[in-house]
């Protein structure tokens, strides 16, 4: 079964919220058992921010922090910084366009751990920047418990990010991730020092990081680079290059265009293969 929505010319994509509502209406009609869920999470709301705040509160609330309080926190963040919702919209589109298993927008919005973990992090990062560290850490803990992803609230993540599967992703406090990055399960952006310094990777835009890769230290991964599955990277990777292996070596410079969007993890035989 193909995607429920058609991906059109990226210069004029359909509004994500309108597409999400339209899809939810069709699913509710076709699958009455899910109609109540879809009405509560999507159809009763007027815009993406309200639906997203409801969904995150529904998923994250527990006996200590009730859904209403969590929803108010999310809405406070969205009102203060509308770019959070803009990033969420770009993230949702990224999942739909890059994941061949994704049939539409409803699927990731309701069920995908990577998307939900990332949206929770965006709120926790806003709290972190406001000096509300205990609440930020609380959301980080809930993400770890529910979605098996551990993203420090201090980490900065650009829009249009795609965390495929999400399980086992670990991103440290001083990490920076650019726009349109894709990473698969088991990725670590870790530090190499016990000192409270800038100690985590800086990942450029359009980078693809394969499953189980470990990118360690205050190093730079250049724009549109590719990190192979299971690689251990401890040194800078130039823009447009591929790093693979343990320890990682550079191959395929330049690599394919926009690897994070094509999700092309293949390696082409190269005339050079040198350590970094």
């Amino acid at each position: 079964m193909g995607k429920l929505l058609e991906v059109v010319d990226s210069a004029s994509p359909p509004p994500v919220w309108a597409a999400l509502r339209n899809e939810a209406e069709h699913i509710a009609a076709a699958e009455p058992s899910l109609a109540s869920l879809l009405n509560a999470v999507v159809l009763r709301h007027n815009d993406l921010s309200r639906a997203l705040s409801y969904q995150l509160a529904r998923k994250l609330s527990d006996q200590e922090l009730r859904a209403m309080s969590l929803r108010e926190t999310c809405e406070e963040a969205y009102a203060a910084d509308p770019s959070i919702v803009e990033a969420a919209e770009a993230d949702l589109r990224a999942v739909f366009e890059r994941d061949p298993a994704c049939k539409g927008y409803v699927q990731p919005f309701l069920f995908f751990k990577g998307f939900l973990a990332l949206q929770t992090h965006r709120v926790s990062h806003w709290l972190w920047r406001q000096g509300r560290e205990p609440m930020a850490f609380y959301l980080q803990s809930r993400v770890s418990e529910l979605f098996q992803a551990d993203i420090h609230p201090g980490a900065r993540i650009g829009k249009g990010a795609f965390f495929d599967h999400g399980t086992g992703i670990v991103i440290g406090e001083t990490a920076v991730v650019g726009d349109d990055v894709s990473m698969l399960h088991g990725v670590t952006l870790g530090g190499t020092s016990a000192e409270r310094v800038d100690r985590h990777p800086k990942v450029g835009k359009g980078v693809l990081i394969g499953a189980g890769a470990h990118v360690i230290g205050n190093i730079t991964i250049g724009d549109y680079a590719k990190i192979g599955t299971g690689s251990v990277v401890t040194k800078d990777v130039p823009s447009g290059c591929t790093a693979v292996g343990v320890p990682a070596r550079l191959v395929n410079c330049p690599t394919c265009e926009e690897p994070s969007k094509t999700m092309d993890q293949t390696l082409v035989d190269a005339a050079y293969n040198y350590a970094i």
Side-chain angles (χ1 to χ4, degrees):
M1 181 180 178
K3 288 184 181 285
L4 296 175
L5 302 173
E6 292 293 331
V7 179
V8 299
D9 185 348
S10 60
S12 56
V16 168
W17 173 242
L20 177 64
R21 280 188 58 88
N22 181 64
E23 185 189 339
E25 289 174 351
H26 282 83
I27 295 174
E31 193 63 73
S33 296
L34 294 177
S36 177
L37 172 65
L38 290 165
N39 274 286
V41 178
V42 179
L43 297 175
R44 65 180 289 187
H45 305 289
N46 295 324
D47 56 40
L48 182 61
S49 68
R50 289 178 174 83
L52 187 57
S53 66
Y54 183 93
Q55 169 67 337
L56 294 183
R58 185 179 76 90
K59 285 287 189 179
L60 297 166
S61 61
D62 58 13
Q63 292 183 346
E64 283 70 41
L65 194 59
R66 298 300 185 180
M68 183 61 72
S69 295
L70 271 170
R71 190 175 186 193
E72 290 174 352
T73 298
C74 293
E75 290 180 344
E76 181 184 3
Y78 299 156
D81 187 355
S83 70
I84 300 174
V85 179
E86 293 172 5
E89 182 174 356
D91 299 338
L92 194 57
R93 184 179 298 282
V95 179
F96 173 66
E97 294 180 348
R98 300 177 206 169
D99 185 353
C102 181
K103 308 302 181 183
Y105 292 129
V106 166
Q107 190 182 3
F109 192 82
L110 290 182
F111 308 126
F112 281 14
K113 292 188 299 180
F115 175 78
L116 295 171
L118 178 57
Q119 302 324 308
T120 306
H121 167 73
R122 295 199 184 283
V123 176
S124 71
H125 181 66
W126 178 82
L127 290 165
W128 180 265
R129 290 189 288 111
Q130 304 307 306
R132 297 169 63 181
E133 293 184 6
M135 187 63 176
F137 283 135
Y138 186 89
L139 292 185
Q140 177 192 5
S141 176
R142 290 297 289 155
V143 166
S144 180
E145 293 169 358
L146 294 172
F147 308 131
Q148 295 79 55
D150 195 349
I151 309 172
H152 193 284
R156 292 180 284 157
I157 300 175
K159 64 183 181 181
F162 173 36
F163 292 175
D164 197 7
H165 304 293
T167 303
I169 287 178
V170 176
I171 301 177
E173 177 184 8
T174 61
V176 178
V177 178
D179 293 343
D180 298 320
V181 167
S182 294
M183 63 179 71
L184 285 84
H185 54 284
V187 167
T188 297
L189 303 183
T192 58
S193 172
E195 296 182 13
R196 300 180 186 276
V197 295
D198 191 352
R199 61 196 183 279
H200 295 98
K202 309 300 179 281
V203 179
K205 64 183 179 182
V207 172
L208 171 62
I209 307 179
H214 300 279
V215 185
I216 307 297
N218 186 15
I219 62 174
T220 298
I221 308 301
D223 295 346
Y224 305 110
K226 186 192 301 186
I227 308 300
T229 297
S231 299
V232 176
V233 183
T234 59
K235 297 181 180 179
D236 293 350
V237 176
S239 297
C241 286
T242 298
V244 297
V246 182
R249 302 173 70 86
L250 295 181
V251 299
N252 306 147
C253 298
T255 187
C256 61
E257 294 184 5
E258 297 191 300
S260 69
K261 293 185 178 181
T262 63
M263 300 297 291
D264 181 1
Q265 299 184 66
T266 60
L267 298 175
V268 179
D269 290 339
Y272 48 89
N273 183 328
Y274 52 93
I276 56 175

